[in-house]
Amino acid sequence: MTPKEKAKELINRYLKVLAGGMYDVRGEAKKCALICVDKILYGSRLFYIEDYGYWIEVKQEIEKL
């Protein structure tokens, strides 16, 4: 899965969770996805994670959406 596809998948998953409201939740889903990726990146600093660069790209793609 490309970083752009992963970024879209994360946002879409959070959209499903937050969609119960009556307002546009896309911005909130984006914030949740960024929090998720930030936690992964923080953990990868504590424990070596091979795909650190991939998650940096995912974060960049989320920010573009």
Side-chain angles (χ1 to χ4, degrees):
M1 182 176 293
T2 68
K4 187 171 188 170
E5 291 169 337
K6 179 57 81 175
K8 287 181 181 180
E9 178 193 29
L10 286 170
I11 289 176
N12 286 333
R13 283 186 178 200
Y14 283 109
L15 275 173
K16 289 177 185 175
V17 171
L18 298 169
M22 295 176 55
Y23 57 93
D24 181 23
V25 293
R26 187 159 188 78
E28 297 300 314
K30 184 175 173 179
K31 289 177 193 176
C32 291
L34 285 170
I35 289 168
C36 176
V37 172
D38 283 341
K39 291 293 181 184
I40 292 167
L41 290 171
Y42 176 75
S44 70
R45 283 186 243 147
L46 299 176
F47 307 98
Y48 178 73
I49 293 181
E50 223 174 86
D51 52 357
Y52 181 83
Y54 171 80
W55 288 105
I56 291 290
E57 290 182 45
V58 170
K59 183 174 181 176
Q60 292 168 346
E61 291 296 336
I62 291 170
E63 291 169 340
K64 289 179 191 177
L65 295 174

